[in-house]
Amino acid sequence: MATFFGEVLSVYSRAVEEDEYEDMTNENEEDEQIRREIEEKRSVEVCWLLGSQDGPLQCSDLIIGAGPNASGFIRAYLLSTVGWTAVAWLSFWNERSRGSERPTVVPGPGEPSCVLYRLESCPTVLICQCQGFVAEDQLFQFTEKVFSCVQTRDLNVTILSDCSSADYKTSDYLSGSSTPFLRCLKTSTYTHTVTCPPLEQPNICSGLAAAVLSHCQVHQISAVLYQCYSDVLHPDSASMQMFAATLSSVLKLEQSLSADVLQRVTRVSEIQSNLYT
Amino acid sequence: MFISSGDAVPSFKGFTLILPAVSVGNVGQLAVDLLISTLNMPRVGYFHTDCLIPMAGNNPYASSTEDAAQLSTSAEVYSHRDLKLAVLQIRAPIIQTKVKSFRKLMISWMKSSGFLRTVLLSSAHAYQRDDQQLHGTPLRYMLSPSLEKEERQRFEELGWREMEKISVFPGISDSEQRLYIPGGGVTKCLYTDCCTEDVPMAVVLIFCSEGDNIPDAFALINCLNDWLHLLEKPTQGSVQWRVPPSWKLLFGSGIPPLLF
């Protein structure tokens, strides 16, 4: 776009980035070496915590929590009860990670991480709690690694995910009293009843939830995604409690035990948001 | 790679493949949406690859409540057996570092599937047109060498214009000419690959700006239909393309009533 003064300004496009494709054509050996090193640094690795585990785990139900509210719900309602054992974790690095290398030690509680837990009373129930940012180019590999840890025969996947209500498109205006609310997407092989309305077009899901759901659809794994739309920027207890009804067919939740943990999960962000801190 | 959605792997031998480029205004993608929606094409497979950003949603072409909850992913293949037509719809951008992998994937799939020809629907930035490109229709075509022999005569009869080559250094006479498709995304690379790999490909593109690109999509798909005759054109007027329900709310949600 030429201006009055004759300078040419690049126009933003929602579809393509300017002049990126041209630079890809002439790459030399050094460029390819750098690219390979970057890909190696950004690769996702499975680290087993069980001593003798070398193959996929038997699994009938896999619950994946992606996003602050979903991870907080898993922490408050599920992991705070006794009987969960960490069996594996995924090690990966990207620009938003802490430190400059891929982590080699088990992440502590509350650190950005992705840990796989198993229920001791029913060992075929697994939880995958994903805290922290997975980059766009890592989502596919990340999903493949998660599903390489479990047997996919007769597997049922439940994905819990967060989304801002600002991204929700509807012809009627969305008032504040209707948030938070749930919407669902399910694969063609999912046969159970869902606990909330389906996600209407033109709304879509993206990120890790979309990567997992696409993997399940392509490989004909029974899966359902529950997406919680919230107008609060930080994790809040009202959004987390929305997920409770979605897991009633898989697990029995302890309602009373979670109140204290729920307070602790949400209080962290309240302190951070203080004006005087 | 391509994964079939049913038990039987569909055969694409002798089929025409139509796919969009993720380019300015998403015009190719919108045009492909019109084609799939109007012809009511069933989905026959997925293109499962790490080169595309993951996304998922419910059926964008739903015509009733029964099929509204069919899950849709980043890249899916639809086919029409009678018309010998296969359509690959790409709904997400290509990851920048994986463009080369994507091109290799596409070329190998086109070759192994035995498509008769491939049509790439694309667009380019209107504001970067050369002076000679300002006149006449905004539509252009490009043909790979193996398709040039068969179709050039046909395109000239239709009155189509071939994409012009631009001087590398404007103003200098006898300057080297190059193909320049700003905002075309993967269009130029894919076309160049098809030329070198002897894959029959035609590129149909339109000059446009970002904004309400629905008219551009209609212009592009009407142009394609003039060539391939996928739908019967009525004697008076144009083809009645069916707008998919996923096109609603293109410019956002409802307005808060308290604003007034």
Side-chain angles (χ1 to χ4, degrees), chain A residues 56-273:
Chain A
L57 297 158
Q58 289 289 326
C59 187
S60 62
D61 290 282
L62 173 62
I63 300 154
I64 298 176
N69 277 311
S71 300
F73 164 78
I74 284 179
R75 196 164 136 207
Y77 280 80
L78 304 180
L79 298 181
S80 62
T81 64
V82 297
W84 292 98
T85 303
V87 294
W89 62 287
L90 270 74
S91 171
F92 61 97
W93 179 92
N94 54 52
E95 292 78 24
R96 291 201 212 177
S97 300
R98 215 171 294 167
S100 58
E101 294 291 330
R102 199 191 314 141
T104 52
V105 292
V106 186
E111 284 181 12
S113 64
C114 176
V115 185
L116 213 59
Y117 297 90
R118 182 165 68 177
L119 187 57
E120 287 170 10
S121 58
C122 186
T124 57
V125 176
L126 294 176
I127 276 175
C128 184
Q129 190 198 28
C130 302
Q131 309 174 90
F133 173 72
V134 187
E136 271 175 354
D137 56 317
Q138 292 174 317
L139 288 168
F140 190 93
Q141 194 190 159
F142 189 95
T143 305
E144 298 277 306
K145 295 289 179 175
V146 168
F147 280 96
S148 72
C149 299
V150 299
Q151 290 271 355
T152 54
R153 197 186 313 110
D154 297 327
L155 172 63
N156 197 74
V157 181
T158 304
I159 310 150
L160 311 176
S161 176
D162 300 344
C163 200
S164 170
S165 57
D167 294 326
Y168 185 73
K169 292 187 176 68
T170 174
S171 46
D172 304 314
Y173 174 61
L174 203 70
S175 62
S177 60
S178 57
T179 52
F181 58 94
L182 282 178
R183 289 292 183 269
C184 77
L185 286 168
K186 59 185 176 69
T187 60
S188 44
T189 50
Y190 187 79
T191 52
H192 303 78
T193 52
V194 290
T195 58
C196 68
L199 184 62
E200 310 93 345
Q201 277 289 345
N203 295 289
I204 57 169
C205 81
S206 57
L208 185 57
V212 173
L213 206 57
S214 297
H215 180 96
C216 293
Q217 174 77 359
V218 170
H219 293 96
Q220 299 183 39
I221 299 167
S222 170
V224 66
L225 160 70
Y226 292 104
Q227 186 141 283
C228 180
Y229 285 89
S230 171
D231 56 357
V232 183
L233 288 180
H234 47 80
D236 71 302
S237 53
S239 302
M240 289 178 197
Q241 287 175 50
M242 296 294 298
F243 293 116
T246 63
L247 294 180
S248 56
S249 60
V250 182
L251 293 166
K252 287 199 162 51
L253 302 179
E254 301 286 344
Q255 294 286 339
S256 54
L257 290 175
S258 56
D260 291 340
V261 189
L262 208 60
Q263 292 280 329
R264 259 182 276 136
V265 169
T266 53
R267 193 172 290 129
V268 171
S269 53
E270 288 166 17
I271 295 169
Q272 286 163 0
S273 62

Side-chain angles (χ1 to χ4, degrees), chain A residues 1 11 13-16 18 20-22 136 140 168-171 173 185 199 201-202 204-205 210 214 217-218, chain B residues 3 22-23 25-26 43 46 49-50 53 55-56 58 96 125 127 183 185 188 210-211 213 246 248 253-254 256:
Chain A
M1 178 187 299
V11 174
S13 171
R14 64 188 178 229
V16 287
E18 198 59 41
E20 284 287 338
Y21 292 80
E22 299 288 333
E136 271 175 354
F140 190 93
Y168 185 73
K169 292 187 176 68
T170 174
S171 46
Y173 174 61
L185 286 168
L199 184 62
Q201 277 289 345
I204 57 169
C205 81
S214 297
Q217 174 77 359
V218 170
Chain B
I3 298 177
V22 184
S23 53
N26 307 98
R43 177 184 64 200
Y46 311 95
T49 170
D50 61 340
I53 297 172
M55 63 77 56
N58 273 323
Q96 291 297 329
H125 279 305
Y127 76 91
K188 183 188 166 182
E210 200 89 25
N213 294 103
S246 56
K248 61 177 186 176
S253 297

